[in-house]
Amino acid sequence: MRASLVCVLLSLSLSLSHASSSSCPKECACDSDTKVVDCRGRGLYDIPRRLHPDTQELHLQDNRIRGLGSMAFRDTPLVRVLDLSNNSITSVSPSALLGLRSLQRLSLANNSLRELDRRLLGPIHSLTHLDLSHNSLWGLPGAMGESLRNLSHLGLAHNRLPRLDRSLLEGLGQLDSLTLRGNPWRCDCQLIGLKLWLETYLFKGGAVDEVLCSQPEEMSSWDLRKVPYQLFHTCMTTSYNYLFANIHHLESTHRNNHGGGPTLHHQGPPAVVGVEVGGAAGGGGSYVVGGGGGSGLPECEPKQRPRPVNLRYAIATVIITGVVCGIVLLMMIAAAVYGCAYAAIMAKYQRELKKTEQHAAAVKASTASVATTTTKGADCGASSARGDKEPLENAIA
């Protein structure tokens, strides 16, 4: 009798637990067939609990949610579509989405986000649609690109982005559409990478709305894709001018760290400038150069930001520069030797030509002299003939 009572109680508890686990929150509308939970516009301040673990779509837009805590969706590990748009979210825990390994579409649009942690999307590799538009984001961490390699749409419109890390964009190999309008883009040296990437992206058939420059003032309202590269020449020139100053600073630091060489003092920390060089194909690199912090940098120079640099790269740069200069010097010497040889040959030719002309003149003069002498002999013979004739005529007379 007691055993049967225990069995009845266990079955009752199991049925109650199953009912509670499969129940739908009173604030939401649940569809057990499509596995869609609709909680939009219900005035929620937090993520509802007691959601069915088989939920695949969760709509929480148009509420008053202010933040996402750690493992906020642990009750719904199979969610594929998560819509949190048009809330008041200001903070998101780095582990808020932990466990959502099947998430494909995520919308955080129309919130008040200022930044996102690079670990937020770390465990998620199935994401294909990410909408972060209409927030207050100042930037996105480049390391986040590892989690976005399967992304087909990225919405970043109407934020506060002055620039965008190129390393983030280069990881988006499957991206089909990108929205960037409504951001205060600063079209300086650090935006050359974005310009080069956009050209490659559009060449491959990608779709992007517009990137209108906000600063500097002379480029205001210009589309970055139409800004000529000539306007960025100051960035390249200034960066190369600071290259050798930064190398000198690194060498002195290396000597000081190893206890050798005199101490060189620089006014202020070196300014680090990253100049990305590439072609329309999107390939490029980065040169890290520096200069005195107290000098007035032009408009295109990025902010001073210390960055570790390998001394061997600097020494290799100096060696390569020396080799190039040596090659140029050898070419100049070869050109000088060729010029001297050519001048000597021409001088010899002129001398031989002059001798030939002098010889011809001498021959001509001697010929004229012989002719003159022959003429004089003929005249003398004629005179003798006339002298002999005159006495004979007188004798006859």
Side-chain angles (χ1 to χ4, degrees), residues 54 111 120-121 156 166 198 222 224 238 247 313:
D54 291 339
N111 281 285
L120 178 64
L121 303 175
L156 295 173
R166 185 179 179 183
L198 284 174
W222 281 32
L224 177 64
T238 307
I247 293 174
Y313 293 163

Side-chain angles (χ1 to χ4, degrees), residues 292-361:
S295 61
L297 299 180
E299 180 68 19
C300 274
E301 282 298 319
K303 296 180 180 178
Q304 298 179 3
R305 184 174 56 184
R307 187 180 299 174
V309 182
N310 195 325
L311 181 62
R312 288 179 294 179
Y313 293 163
I315 296 175
T317 303
V318 174
I319 293 174
I320 293 173
T321 306
V323 171
V324 172
C325 292
I327 294 174
V328 173
L329 181 60
L330 290 176
M331 293 176 65
M332 293 176 63
I333 293 174
V337 171
Y338 175 78
C340 293
Y342 180 77
I345 293 173
M346 290 302 297
K348 183 178 180 181
Y349 173 75
Q350 292 293 336
R351 287 196 300 269
E352 291 178 354
L353 182 62
K354 187 175 182 180
K355 288 181 179 179
T356 302
E357 291 178 351
Q358 290 177 352
H359 179 70

Side-chain angles (χ1 to χ4, degrees), residues 166 195-204 229 277-284:
R166 185 179 179 183
K195 178 177 173 63
L196 294 171
W197 182 88
L198 284 174
E199 292 178 353
T200 306
Y201 175 68
L202 293 172
F203 179 76
K204 293 180 178 179
Y229 281 99
V277 181

Side-chain angles (χ1 to χ4, degrees), residues 183-199:
N183 285 283
W185 300 107
R186 182 177 178 84
C187 297
D188 58 6
C189 299
Q190 294 189 0
L191 217 62
I192 297 178
L194 176 60
K195 178 177 173 63
L196 294 171
W197 182 88
L198 284 174
E199 292 178 353

Side-chain angles (χ1 to χ4, degrees), residues 4 24 49 81 101 106 145 156 164 180 198 256 291 328 370 381:
S4 62
C24 181
R49 300 300 177 187
V81 178
R101 297 183 178 275
L106 173 63
L156 295 173
L164 197 58
L180 296 173
L198 284 174
N256 293 337
V328 173
V370 171

Side-chain angles (χ1 to χ4, degrees), residues 242 245-246 249 265-272 289-295 297 303-307:
Y242 281 110
N246 189 57
H249 171 77
H265 299 281
H266 298 267
Q267 297 181 358
V272 178
V289 297
S295 61
L297 299 180
K303 296 180 180 178
Q304 298 179 3
R305 184 174 56 184
R307 187 180 299 174

Side-chain angles (χ1 to χ4, degrees), residues 98-130:
L98 193 63
L100 301 182
R101 297 183 178 275
S102 302
L103 188 62
Q104 296 178 359
R105 300 174 67 91
L106 173 63
S107 177
L108 289 167
N110 289 283
N111 281 285
S112 302
L113 295 171
R114 295 178 62 87
E115 60 180 357
L116 291 178
D117 193 279
R118 61 182 179 84
R119 298 168 292 178
L120 178 64
L121 303 175
I124 305 174
H125 299 290
S126 56
L127 199 64
T128 60
H129 187 285
L130 177 61

Side-chain angles (χ1 to χ4, degrees), residues 40 80 85 254:
R40 69 185 77 184
R80 296 181 180 180
S85 60
H254 180 72

